[in-house]
Amino acid sequence: MHGPPAWPLRLLVAANRKERGAAVGFLAMSSVITMSAPFFLGRIIDVIYTNPTVDYSYTLTRLCLALSGVFLCGAAANTVRVYLMQTSGQRIVNRLRASLFSSLLRQEVAFFDKTRTGELINRLSSDTALLGRSITENLSDGLRAGAQASIGIGMMFYVSPQLATFVLSVVPPISVLAVIYGRYLQKLTKVMQDSLAQTTQLAEESIGNIRTVRAFGKEITEIEKYTSKVDHVMQLARKEAFARAGFFGATGLSGNLIVLSVLYKGGLLMGSAHMTVGELSSFLMYAFWVGLSIGGLSSFYSELMKGLGAGGRLWELLERKPELPFDEGVVLNQESFQGTLEFRNVHFTYPARPEVPIFQDFSLCIPSASVTALVGPSGSGKSTVLSLLLRLYDPVSGTISLDGHDIRQLNPVWLRSKIGTVSQEPVLFSCSIAENIAYGADDPSSVTAEQIEKVADVANAGAFIRNFPQGFNTVVGEKGVLLSGGQKQRIAIARALLKNPKILLLDEATSALDAENEYLVQEALDRLMEGRTVLIIAHRLSTIKNANTVAVLDQGKITERGRHEELLSKPNGIYRRLMNKQS
């Protein structure tokens, strides 16, 4: 397991200190009051049976009233304890989820290449709830059971040391069994949570890609795959149920044996005048409470082991350090920031596929306030260039510089705030059009409706947005599924315009559009590119011919470079062959 054994206790720090102290105080009070009841009840029984000929009504009334008051105090303390632990537990779960989500969003992109989304969602929802419950409500119940068991055993020895020694001989074997069971349950829970994560991942992919599933008629296949995963979870649940049944059966048997041994040995001691009826009654009630407390401790231990099993992987994610920095490094001042980009002798492979080289000695210079078009065969790595500029990955060797500064020295958050991107398939969030456009701003909450409408008009999006019944408040659906490709592109351009970036990256922004939409989007892009450093990845002539420079990427390096007309004039050039294929 990652981290020291005491790591779950760190989560308790997330609870309010006053709440924790108050909860422990009320727990102690309710436990002491509960365990004092058998002693006083034994006294009442002795009052009744010691001398039946004497009028004991006054003494009995006084004892019962006093005991009723004590019980009321205990009930109030227990109520407050449960409330405090419930709220404290929810606070811990909330902070745990927030910390985990923050840790996940800080990880490098390569981490998400290797980790499935459904698995991470399962960690955020199921695992955090299980872990939070095991160290709050469950811990409170466990402490209460432990306190009651300790007090009960102490009072059993106080009432009759001889009887207590005889009765408690059954406890050590149960303790050994509990340790074995707890370790087994911890391992089983981790496997079960991993299986649940895979099930969640499958469901998330199937539902998220429902249109593809429906288009290929694979509903039955997906149902069968999901059912198979659920059946595997059920098999693990059966194993847990079998182990739990055996363990709780053993603890229940031990409780019954304790009560039986009390009656047997206590009856012998009463026969020899070593105990009174009240003392035996008190001892029997303490034995009963100890049995219940041992059962509570068993449940607490099993739930704690489940929490630890679920939390091991959770804590690995919380403590994982991203391989790329998140928000640290140099920030260029406005005067020295021009936007000149340069790749120099870059070698790169994706971390998830280190055996497949993408770039080998890749070099390219993009002057400030110029438009550079990058073309090449499919799979040559054109989109990877944009990922490297956004510093989603670092090159294996070589340098990528901005105005002469290696981008590995720059603050990644600042760097990305100066770069705008418009991709072939822009992703919109499932919210309103206005919120999607405002997402491009540093502070979306400060963006006015006038600013949103202005950039939408510049992006040729204002007209179709206003034709919607709800205008800019129209909800676009998951990933913008309720809009056409051209509409999504123009909203993405408006989002980039609002960001007002110094550097603009366009990834085949018009390749999937029809002629009419291409014209509208290209017109919006021309406005967007004014005065910026632009890198265009494109196949269509309309987005290439006006570029200051065209660079041809093939086999991991730049093989040709020049203006459109110059490259087209080379009879055996790669660029000419690419253009001929399009025509």
Side-chain angles (χ1 to χ4, degrees), residues 475-522:
V475 176
V476 302
E478 187 175 9
K479 297 181 181 179
V481 71
L482 300 180
L483 302 178
S484 69
Q487 290 171 337
K488 286 195 289 185
Q489 284 288 19
R490 282 176 274 172
I491 289 174
I493 292 169
R495 182 167 61 188
L497 273 168
L498 191 62
K499 188 175 185 179
N500 192 26
K502 184 74 174 179
I503 301 167
L504 183 63
L505 308 178
L506 305 177
D507 188 0
E508 302 188 74
T510 62
S511 62
L513 304 179
D514 55 40
E516 181 181 356
N517 273 309
E518 181 187 359
Y519 172 77
L520 292 171
V521 171
Q522 188 59 52

mmCIF file of all heavy atoms in Angstrom, residues 475-522:
data_model
loop_
_atom_site.group_PDB
_atom_site.id
_atom_site.type_symbol
_atom_site.label_atom_id
_atom_site.label_comp_id
_atom_site.label_asym_id
_atom_site.label_seq_id
_atom_site.Cartn_x
_atom_site.Cartn_y
_atom_site.Cartn_z
ATOM 1 N N VAL A 475 -28.920 25.662 -24.881
ATOM 2 C CA VAL A 475 -28.015 24.613 -24.384
ATOM 3 C C VAL A 475 -27.616 23.733 -25.562
ATOM 4 O O VAL A 475 -28.466 23.281 -26.342
ATOM 5 C CB VAL A 475 -28.702 23.771 -23.282
ATOM 6 C CG1 VAL A 475 -27.806 22.629 -22.839
ATOM 7 C CG2 VAL A 475 -29.048 24.663 -22.093
ATOM 8 N N VAL A 476 -26.308 23.474 -25.699
ATOM 9 C CA VAL A 476 -25.788 22.811 -26.901
ATOM 10 C C VAL A 476 -25.759 21.296 -26.790
ATOM 11 O O VAL A 476 -25.460 20.606 -27.770
ATOM 12 C CB VAL A 476 -24.361 23.324 -27.222
ATOM 13 C CG1 VAL A 476 -24.369 24.824 -27.418
ATOM 14 C CG2 VAL A 476 -23.370 22.934 -26.121
ATOM 15 N N GLY A 477 -26.051 20.730 -25.613
ATOM 16 C CA GLY A 477 -25.994 19.279 -25.444
ATOM 17 C C GLY A 477 -24.578 18.807 -25.156
ATOM 18 O O GLY A 477 -23.610 19.573 -25.251
ATOM 19 N N GLU A 478 -24.453 17.525 -24.825
ATOM 20 C CA GLU A 478 -23.141 16.977 -24.487
ATOM 21 C C GLU A 478 -22.202 17.062 -25.691
ATOM 22 O O GLU A 478 -22.498 16.587 -26.781
ATOM 23 C CB GLU A 478 -23.282 15.523 -24.041
ATOM 24 C CG GLU A 478 -21.989 14.929 -23.508
ATOM 25 C CD GLU A 478 -22.169 13.530 -22.954
ATOM 26 O OE1 GLU A 478 -23.267 12.961 -23.137
ATOM 27 O OE2 GLU A 478 -21.227 13.004 -22.348
ATOM 28 N N LYS A 479 -21.053 17.705 -25.476
ATOM 29 C CA LYS A 479 -20.028 17.915 -26.508
ATOM 30 C C LYS A 479 -20.575 18.676 -27.718
ATOM 31 O O LYS A 479 -20.056 18.564 -28.828
ATOM 32 C CB LYS A 479 -19.429 16.582 -26.964
ATOM 33 C CG LYS A 479 -18.703 15.832 -25.858
ATOM 34 C CD LYS A 479 -18.113 14.542 -26.357
ATOM 35 C CE LYS A 479 -17.411 13.809 -25.208
ATOM 36 N NZ LYS A 479 -16.831 12.504 -25.646
ATOM 37 N N GLY A 480 -21.661 19.459 -27.531
ATOM 38 C CA GLY A 480 -22.226 20.259 -28.611
ATOM 39 C C GLY A 480 -22.971 19.449 -29.634
ATOM 40 O O GLY A 480 -23.095 19.846 -30.797
ATOM 41 N N VAL A 481 -23.531 18.309 -29.215
ATOM 42 C CA VAL A 481 -24.138 17.374 -30.164
ATOM 43 C C VAL A 481 -25.386 17.947 -30.846
ATOM 44 O O VAL A 481 -25.778 17.478 -31.925
ATOM 45 C CB VAL A 481 -24.475 16.047 -29.431
ATOM 46 C CG1 VAL A 481 -25.644 16.248 -28.471
ATOM 47 C CG2 VAL A 481 -24.768 14.930 -30.413
ATOM 48 N N LEU A 482 -26.001 18.971 -30.273
ATOM 49 C CA LEU A 482 -27.225 19.537 -30.853
ATOM 50 C C LEU A 482 -26.941 20.585 -31.922
ATOM 51 O O LEU A 482 -27.872 21.167 -32.487
ATOM 52 C CB LEU A 482 -28.095 20.152 -29.749
ATOM 53 C CG LEU A 482 -28.552 19.181 -28.646
ATOM 54 C CD1 LEU A 482 -29.399 19.897 -27.612
ATOM 55 C CD2 LEU A 482 -29.329 18.013 -29.253
ATOM 56 N N LEU A 483 -25.653 20.840 -32.212
ATOM 57 C CA LEU A 483 -25.277 21.813 -33.231
ATOM 58 C C LEU A 483 -24.613 21.111 -34.413
ATOM 59 O O LEU A 483 -24.067 20.009 -34.271
ATOM 60 C CB LEU A 483 -24.309 22.857 -32.647
ATOM 61 C CG LEU A 483 -24.797 23.665 -31.450
ATOM 62 C CD1 LEU A 483 -23.695 24.597 -30.973
ATOM 63 C CD2 LEU A 483 -26.045 24.461 -31.801
ATOM 64 N N SER A 484 -24.640 21.768 -35.568
ATOM 65 C CA SER A 484 -23.952 21.217 -36.738
ATOM 66 C C SER A 484 -22.447 21.475 -36.625
ATOM 67 O O SER A 484 -21.991 22.255 -35.780
ATOM 68 C CB SER A 484 -24.492 21.878 -38.009
ATOM 69 O OG SER A 484 -24.095 23.246 -38.053
ATOM 70 N N GLY A 485 -21.684 20.841 -37.523
ATOM 71 C CA GLY A 485 -20.232 21.019 -37.493
ATOM 72 C C GLY A 485 -19.811 22.458 -37.710
ATOM 73 O O GLY A 485 -18.942 22.989 -37.014
ATOM 74 N N GLY A 486 -20.441 23.129 -38.686
ATOM 75 C CA GLY A 486 -20.105 24.527 -38.951
ATOM 76 C C GLY A 486 -20.473 25.447 -37.804
ATOM 77 O O GLY A 486 -19.748 26.397 -37.490
ATOM 78 N N GLN A 487 -21.599 25.168 -37.150
ATOM 79 C CA GLN A 487 -22.002 25.980 -35.999
ATOM 80 C C GLN A 487 -21.023 25.813 -34.842
ATOM 81 O O GLN A 487 -20.636 26.791 -34.188
ATOM 82 C CB GLN A 487 -23.419 25.593 -35.572
ATOM 83 C CG GLN A 487 -24.497 26.032 -36.562
ATOM 84 C CD GLN A 487 -25.860 25.452 -36.233
ATOM 85 O OE1 GLN A 487 -25.974 24.430 -35.555
ATOM 86 N NE2 GLN A 487 -26.914 26.095 -36.721
ATOM 87 N N LYS A 488 -20.628 24.585 -34.580
ATOM 88 C CA LYS A 488 -19.654 24.345 -33.511
ATOM 89 C C LYS A 488 -18.327 25.038 -33.814
ATOM 90 O O LYS A 488 -17.697 25.616 -32.908
ATOM 91 C CB LYS A 488 -19.430 22.838 -33.321
ATOM 92 C CG LYS A 488 -20.580 22.128 -32.639
ATOM 93 C CD LYS A 488 -20.186 20.743 -32.149
ATOM 94 C CE LYS A 488 -19.979 19.785 -33.279
ATOM 95 N NZ LYS A 488 -19.719 18.406 -32.793
ATOM 96 N N GLN A 489 -17.906 24.988 -35.086
ATOM 97 C CA GLN A 489 -16.637 25.627 -35.449
ATOM 98 C C GLN A 489 -16.684 27.126 -35.188
ATOM 99 O O GLN A 489 -15.731 27.708 -34.659
ATOM 100 C CB GLN A 489 -16.336 25.375 -36.936
ATOM 101 C CG GLN A 489 -15.846 23.972 -37.250
ATOM 102 C CD GLN A 489 -14.426 23.743 -36.764
ATOM 103 O OE1 GLN A 489 -13.933 24.474 -35.918
ATOM 104 N NE2 GLN A 489 -13.778 22.723 -37.273
ATOM 105 N N ARG A 490 -17.804 27.754 -35.560
ATOM 106 C CA ARG A 490 -17.887 29.213 -35.402
ATOM 107 C C ARG A 490 -17.983 29.607 -33.927
ATOM 108 O O ARG A 490 -17.451 30.656 -33.536
ATOM 109 C CB ARG A 490 -19.077 29.748 -36.206
ATOM 110 C CG ARG A 490 -18.768 29.854 -37.703
ATOM 111 C CD ARG A 490 -19.964 30.278 -38.513
ATOM 112 N NE ARG A 490 -20.780 29.125 -38.887
ATOM 113 C CZ ARG A 490 -21.966 29.220 -39.462
ATOM 114 N NH1 ARG A 490 -22.505 30.417 -39.690
ATOM 115 N NH2 ARG A 490 -22.646 28.133 -39.800
ATOM 116 N N ILE A 491 -18.628 28.784 -33.116
ATOM 117 C CA ILE A 491 -18.646 29.063 -31.672
ATOM 118 C C ILE A 491 -17.228 28.907 -31.099
ATOM 119 O O ILE A 491 -16.798 29.695 -30.250
ATOM 120 C CB ILE A 491 -19.642 28.128 -30.965
ATOM 121 C CG1 ILE A 491 -21.077 28.512 -31.325
ATOM 122 C CG2 ILE A 491 -19.457 28.176 -29.441
ATOM 123 C CD1 ILE A 491 -22.130 27.575 -30.792
ATOM 124 N N ALA A 492 -16.493 27.895 -31.584
ATOM 125 C CA ALA A 492 -15.111 27.711 -31.129
ATOM 126 C C ALA A 492 -14.242 28.898 -31.540
ATOM 127 O O ALA A 492 -13.353 29.327 -30.788
ATOM 128 C CB ALA A 492 -14.542 26.413 -31.702
ATOM 129 N N ILE A 493 -14.483 29.437 -32.719
ATOM 130 C CA ILE A 493 -13.724 30.611 -33.160
ATOM 131 C C ILE A 493 -14.069 31.821 -32.293
ATOM 132 O O ILE A 493 -13.188 32.608 -31.900
ATOM 133 C CB ILE A 493 -14.013 30.897 -34.652
ATOM 134 C CG1 ILE A 493 -13.426 29.773 -35.513
ATOM 135 C CG2 ILE A 493 -13.432 32.246 -35.071
ATOM 136 C CD1 ILE A 493 -13.873 29.821 -36.964
ATOM 137 N N ALA A 494 -15.360 31.987 -31.972
ATOM 138 C CA ALA A 494 -15.764 33.080 -31.077
ATOM 139 C C ALA A 494 -15.104 32.926 -29.712
ATOM 140 O O ALA A 494 -14.667 33.918 -29.096
ATOM 141 C CB ALA A 494 -17.284 33.090 -30.933
ATOM 142 N N ARG A 495 -15.013 31.696 -29.225
ATOM 143 C CA ARG A 495 -14.356 31.436 -27.941
ATOM 144 C C ARG A 495 -12.882 31.835 -28.001
ATOM 145 O O ARG A 495 -12.347 32.434 -27.062
ATOM 146 C CB ARG A 495 -14.509 29.944 -27.609
ATOM 147 C CG ARG A 495 -13.917 29.530 -26.291
ATOM 148 C CD ARG A 495 -14.377 28.131 -25.911
ATOM 149 N NE ARG A 495 -13.958 27.121 -26.890
ATOM 150 C CZ ARG A 495 -14.367 25.851 -26.874
ATOM 151 N NH1 ARG A 495 -15.210 25.442 -25.945
ATOM 152 N NH2 ARG A 495 -13.948 24.995 -27.775
ATOM 153 N N ALA A 496 -12.220 31.501 -29.123
ATOM 154 C CA ALA A 496 -10.817 31.878 -29.287
ATOM 155 C C ALA A 496 -10.654 33.386 -29.424
ATOM 156 O O ALA A 496 -9.685 33.972 -28.923
ATOM 157 C CB ALA A 496 -10.231 31.162 -30.502
ATOM 158 N N LEU A 497 -11.596 34.042 -30.109
ATOM 159 C CA LEU A 497 -11.543 35.503 -30.248
ATOM 160 C C LEU A 497 -11.642 36.183 -28.896
ATOM 161 O O LEU A 497 -10.929 37.160 -28.616
ATOM 162 C CB LEU A 497 -12.687 35.981 -31.146
ATOM 163 C CG LEU A 497 -12.449 35.996 -32.655
ATOM 164 C CD1 LEU A 497 -13.759 36.202 -33.400
ATOM 165 C CD2 LEU A 497 -11.451 37.103 -33.027
ATOM 166 N N LEU A 498 -12.532 35.691 -28.039
ATOM 167 C CA LEU A 498 -12.707 36.291 -26.714
ATOM 168 C C LEU A 498 -11.429 36.132 -25.884
ATOM 169 O O LEU A 498 -11.108 36.989 -25.064
ATOM 170 C CB LEU A 498 -13.887 35.638 -26.009
ATOM 171 C CG LEU A 498 -14.380 36.325 -24.731
ATOM 172 C CD1 LEU A 498 -14.879 37.725 -25.040
ATOM 173 C CD2 LEU A 498 -15.479 35.514 -24.075
ATOM 174 N N LYS A 499 -10.726 35.044 -26.109
ATOM 175 C CA LYS A 499 -9.465 34.820 -25.398
ATOM 176 C C LYS A 499 -8.397 35.814 -25.849
ATOM 177 O O LYS A 499 -7.486 36.148 -25.091
ATOM 178 C CB LYS A 499 -8.993 33.390 -25.654
ATOM 179 C CG LYS A 499 -7.797 32.969 -24.826
ATOM 180 C CD LYS A 499 -7.467 31.503 -25.049
ATOM 181 C CE LYS A 499 -6.352 31.049 -24.121
ATOM 182 N NZ LYS A 499 -6.028 29.605 -24.307
ATOM 183 N N ASN A 500 -8.514 36.263 -27.116
ATOM 184 C CA ASN A 500 -7.577 37.228 -27.696
ATOM 185 C C ASN A 500 -6.124 36.756 -27.547
ATOM 186 O O ASN A 500 -5.280 37.441 -26.959
ATOM 187 C CB ASN A 500 -7.753 38.613 -27.043
ATOM 188 C CG ASN A 500 -7.019 39.701 -27.821
ATOM 189 O OD1 ASN A 500 -6.797 39.581 -29.025
ATOM 190 N ND2 ASN A 500 -6.621 40.760 -27.127
ATOM 191 N N PRO A 501 -5.794 35.599 -28.113
ATOM 192 C CA PRO A 501 -4.454 35.041 -27.917
ATOM 193 C C PRO A 501 -3.418 35.684 -28.834
ATOM 194 O O PRO A 501 -3.747 36.181 -29.915
ATOM 195 C CB PRO A 501 -4.647 33.565 -28.269
ATOM 196 C CG PRO A 501 -5.717 33.596 -29.322
ATOM 197 C CD PRO A 501 -6.644 34.725 -28.934
ATOM 198 N N LYS A 502 -2.171 35.643 -28.418
ATOM 199 C CA LYS A 502 -1.078 36.133 -29.253
ATOM 200 C C LYS A 502 -0.695 35.087 -30.295
ATOM 201 O O LYS A 502 -0.252 35.414 -31.400
ATOM 202 C CB LYS A 502 0.133 36.450 -28.367
ATOM 203 C CG LYS A 502 1.310 37.064 -29.094
ATOM 204 C CD LYS A 502 1.040 38.510 -29.458
ATOM 205 C CE LYS A 502 2.278 39.172 -30.049
ATOM 206 N NZ LYS A 502 2.023 40.571 -30.421
ATOM 207 N N ILE A 503 -0.886 33.812 -29.922
ATOM 208 C CA ILE A 503 -0.534 32.703 -30.807
ATOM 209 C C ILE A 503 -1.809 31.916 -31.096
ATOM 210 O O ILE A 503 -2.591 31.637 -30.182
ATOM 211 C CB ILE A 503 0.519 31.792 -30.153
ATOM 212 C CG1 ILE A 503 1.783 32.593 -29.830
ATOM 213 C CG2 ILE A 503 0.857 30.595 -31.033
ATOM 214 C CD1 ILE A 503 2.751 31.871 -28.917
ATOM 215 N N LEU A 504 -2.000 31.544 -32.353
ATOM 216 C CA LEU A 504 -3.216 30.830 -32.746
ATOM 217 C C LEU A 504 -2.841 29.533 -33.449
ATOM 218 O O LEU A 504 -2.007 29.522 -34.365
ATOM 219 C CB LEU A 504 -4.050 31.714 -33.684
ATOM 220 C CG LEU A 504 -5.403 31.147 -34.138
ATOM 221 C CD1 LEU A 504 -6.321 30.945 -32.944
ATOM 222 C CD2 LEU A 504 -6.036 32.085 -35.156
ATOM 223 N N LEU A 505 -3.451 28.436 -32.996
ATOM 224 C CA LEU A 505 -3.206 27.121 -33.584
ATOM 225 C C LEU A 505 -4.518 26.625 -34.195
ATOM 226 O O LEU A 505 -5.524 26.498 -33.505
ATOM 227 C CB LEU A 505 -2.729 26.124 -32.518
ATOM 228 C CG LEU A 505 -1.544 26.578 -31.650
ATOM 229 C CD1 LEU A 505 -1.217 25.515 -30.606
ATOM 230 C CD2 LEU A 505 -0.323 26.890 -32.513
ATOM 231 N N LEU A 506 -4.495 26.338 -35.494
ATOM 232 C CA LEU A 506 -5.685 25.878 -36.213
ATOM 233 C C LEU A 506 -5.419 24.470 -36.736
ATOM 234 O O LEU A 506 -4.510 24.264 -37.547
ATOM 235 C CB LEU A 506 -6.016 26.818 -37.378
ATOM 236 C CG LEU A 506 -6.190 28.305 -37.027
ATOM 237 C CD1 LEU A 506 -6.435 29.117 -38.277
ATOM 238 C CD2 LEU A 506 -7.343 28.472 -36.040
ATOM 239 N N ASP A 507 -6.217 23.513 -36.257
ATOM 240 C CA ASP A 507 -6.009 22.112 -36.617
ATOM 241 C C ASP A 507 -7.111 21.658 -37.577
ATOM 242 O O ASP A 507 -8.169 21.186 -37.162
ATOM 243 C CB ASP A 507 -6.016 21.242 -35.357
ATOM 244 C CG ASP A 507 -5.621 19.801 -35.643
ATOM 245 O OD1 ASP A 507 -5.342 19.485 -36.820
ATOM 246 O OD2 ASP A 507 -5.587 19.002 -34.699
ATOM 247 N N GLU A 508 -6.859 21.838 -38.888
ATOM 248 C CA GLU A 508 -7.793 21.420 -39.928
ATOM 249 C C GLU A 508 -9.215 21.905 -39.620
ATOM 250 O O GLU A 508 -10.175 21.143 -39.644
ATOM 251 C CB GLU A 508 -7.770 19.898 -40.082
ATOM 252 C CG GLU A 508 -6.378 19.368 -40.419
ATOM 253 C CD GLU A 508 -6.379 17.899 -40.768
ATOM 254 O OE1 GLU A 508 -6.817 17.552 -41.869
ATOM 255 O OE2 GLU A 508 -5.937 17.110 -39.932
ATOM 256 N N ALA A 509 -9.314 23.192 -39.359
ATOM 257 C CA ALA A 509 -10.567 23.757 -38.846
ATOM 258 C C ALA A 509 -11.689 23.768 -39.869
ATOM 259 O O ALA A 509 -12.851 23.960 -39.505
ATOM 260 C CB ALA A 509 -10.315 25.183 -38.352
ATOM 261 N N THR A 510 -11.392 23.577 -41.156
ATOM 262 C CA THR A 510 -12.459 23.613 -42.163
ATOM 263 C C THR A 510 -12.572 22.316 -42.957
ATOM 264 O O THR A 510 -13.370 22.227 -43.879
ATOM 265 C CB THR A 510 -12.224 24.770 -43.162
ATOM 266 O OG1 THR A 510 -10.974 24.546 -43.849
ATOM 267 C CG2 THR A 510 -12.170 26.097 -42.446
ATOM 268 N N SER A 511 -11.800 21.291 -42.595
ATOM 269 C CA SER A 511 -11.723 20.089 -43.444
ATOM 270 C C SER A 511 -13.014 19.290 -43.486
ATOM 271 O O SER A 511 -13.269 18.577 -44.443
ATOM 272 C CB SER A 511 -10.581 19.188 -42.960
ATOM 273 O OG SER A 511 -10.824 18.744 -41.640
ATOM 274 N N ALA A 512 -13.844 19.407 -42.439
ATOM 275 C CA ALA A 512 -15.056 18.582 -42.389
ATOM 276 C C ALA A 512 -16.313 19.350 -42.777
ATOM 277 O O ALA A 512 -17.421 18.882 -42.551
ATOM 278 C CB ALA A 512 -15.219 18.004 -40.983
ATOM 279 N N LEU A 513 -16.156 20.528 -43.383
ATOM 280 C CA LEU A 513 -17.319 21.380 -43.647
ATOM 281 C C LEU A 513 -17.673 21.399 -45.132
ATOM 282 O O LEU A 513 -16.819 21.179 -46.005
ATOM 283 C CB LEU A 513 -17.014 22.815 -43.174
ATOM 284 C CG LEU A 513 -16.603 22.972 -41.704
ATOM 285 C CD1 LEU A 513 -16.310 24.435 -41.416
ATOM 286 C CD2 LEU A 513 -17.687 22.443 -40.785
ATOM 287 N N ASP A 514 -18.949 21.707 -45.395
ATOM 288 C CA ASP A 514 -19.363 21.869 -46.778
ATOM 289 C C ASP A 514 -18.913 23.243 -47.271
ATOM 290 O O ASP A 514 -18.362 24.058 -46.516
ATOM 291 C CB ASP A 514 -20.874 21.711 -46.907
ATOM 292 C CG ASP A 514 -21.648 22.657 -45.986
ATOM 293 O OD1 ASP A 514 -21.234 23.828 -45.853
ATOM 294 O OD2 ASP A 514 -22.650 22.221 -45.383
ATOM 295 N N ALA A 515 -19.151 23.505 -48.550
ATOM 296 C CA ALA A 515 -18.617 24.727 -49.171
ATOM 297 C C ALA A 515 -19.132 25.990 -48.506
ATOM 298 O O ALA A 515 -18.374 26.945 -48.260
ATOM 299 C CB ALA A 515 -18.967 24.724 -50.664
ATOM 300 N N GLU A 516 -20.457 26.027 -48.200
ATOM 301 C CA GLU A 516 -21.032 27.237 -47.598
ATOM 302 C C GLU A 516 -20.463 27.479 -46.211
ATOM 303 O O GLU A 516 -20.040 28.598 -45.885
ATOM 304 C CB GLU A 516 -22.551 27.100 -47.533
ATOM 305 C CG GLU A 516 -23.234 28.345 -46.938
ATOM 306 C CD GLU A 516 -24.750 28.189 -46.858
ATOM 307 O OE1 GLU A 516 -25.266 27.164 -47.326
ATOM 308 O OE2 GLU A 516 -25.384 29.088 -46.297
ATOM 309 N N ASN A 517 -20.441 26.423 -45.388
ATOM 310 C CA ASN A 517 -19.899 26.574 -44.042
ATOM 311 C C ASN A 517 -18.401 26.860 -44.086
ATOM 312 O O ASN A 517 -17.885 27.604 -43.254
ATOM 313 C CB ASN A 517 -20.168 25.316 -43.219
ATOM 314 C CG ASN A 517 -21.521 25.356 -42.542
ATOM 315 O OD1 ASN A 517 -21.868 26.319 -41.870
ATOM 316 N ND2 ASN A 517 -22.314 24.307 -42.746
ATOM 317 N N GLU A 518 -17.715 26.273 -45.046
ATOM 318 C CA GLU A 518 -16.270 26.521 -45.152
ATOM 319 C C GLU A 518 -16.001 27.997 -45.424
ATOM 320 O O GLU A 518 -15.097 28.598 -44.841
ATOM 321 C CB GLU A 518 -15.671 25.664 -46.266
ATOM 322 C CG GLU A 518 -14.161 25.870 -46.405
ATOM 323 C CD GLU A 518 -13.577 25.171 -47.613
ATOM 324 O OE1 GLU A 518 -14.333 24.500 -48.341
ATOM 325 O OE2 GLU A 518 -12.362 25.321 -47.838
ATOM 326 N N TYR A 519 -16.808 28.586 -46.299
ATOM 327 C CA TYR A 519 -16.626 30.003 -46.602
ATOM 328 C C TYR A 519 -16.850 30.868 -45.356
ATOM 329 O O TYR A 519 -16.058 31.776 -45.067
ATOM 330 C CB TYR A 519 -17.596 30.419 -47.715
ATOM 331 C CG TYR A 519 -17.619 31.912 -47.959
ATOM 332 C CD1 TYR A 519 -16.589 32.545 -48.662
ATOM 333 C CD2 TYR A 519 -18.663 32.694 -47.457
ATOM 334 C CE1 TYR A 519 -16.603 33.915 -48.859
ATOM 335 C CE2 TYR A 519 -18.680 34.064 -47.647
ATOM 336 C CZ TYR A 519 -17.648 34.668 -48.351
ATOM 337 O OH TYR A 519 -17.645 36.034 -48.544
ATOM 338 N N LEU A 520 -17.926 30.588 -44.628
ATOM 339 C CA LEU A 520 -18.234 31.377 -43.430
ATOM 340 C C LEU A 520 -17.145 31.203 -42.362
ATOM 341 O O LEU A 520 -16.723 32.174 -41.725
ATOM 342 C CB LEU A 520 -19.594 30.951 -42.867
ATOM 343 C CG LEU A 520 -20.819 31.291 -43.722
ATOM 344 C CD1 LEU A 520 -22.058 30.623 -43.159
ATOM 345 C CD2 LEU A 520 -21.005 32.801 -43.791
ATOM 346 N N VAL A 521 -16.726 29.950 -42.158
ATOM 347 C CA VAL A 521 -15.700 29.690 -41.145
ATOM 348 C C VAL A 521 -14.363 30.288 -41.570
ATOM 349 O O VAL A 521 -13.645 30.888 -40.746
ATOM 350 C CB VAL A 521 -15.567 28.166 -40.894
ATOM 351 C CG1 VAL A 521 -14.358 27.873 -40.017
ATOM 352 C CG2 VAL A 521 -16.825 27.630 -40.237
ATOM 353 N N GLN A 522 -14.017 30.160 -42.872
ATOM 354 C CA GLN A 522 -12.740 30.709 -43.341
ATOM 355 C C GLN A 522 -12.718 32.228 -43.204
ATOM 356 O O GLN A 522 -11.695 32.817 -42.828
ATOM 357 C CB GLN A 522 -12.506 30.303 -44.795
ATOM 358 C CG GLN A 522 -11.124 30.657 -45.328
ATOM 359 C CD GLN A 522 -10.026 30.008 -44.522
ATOM 360 O OE1 GLN A 522 -10.041 28.802 -44.303
ATOM 361 N NE2 GLN A 522 -9.075 30.805 -44.049
#
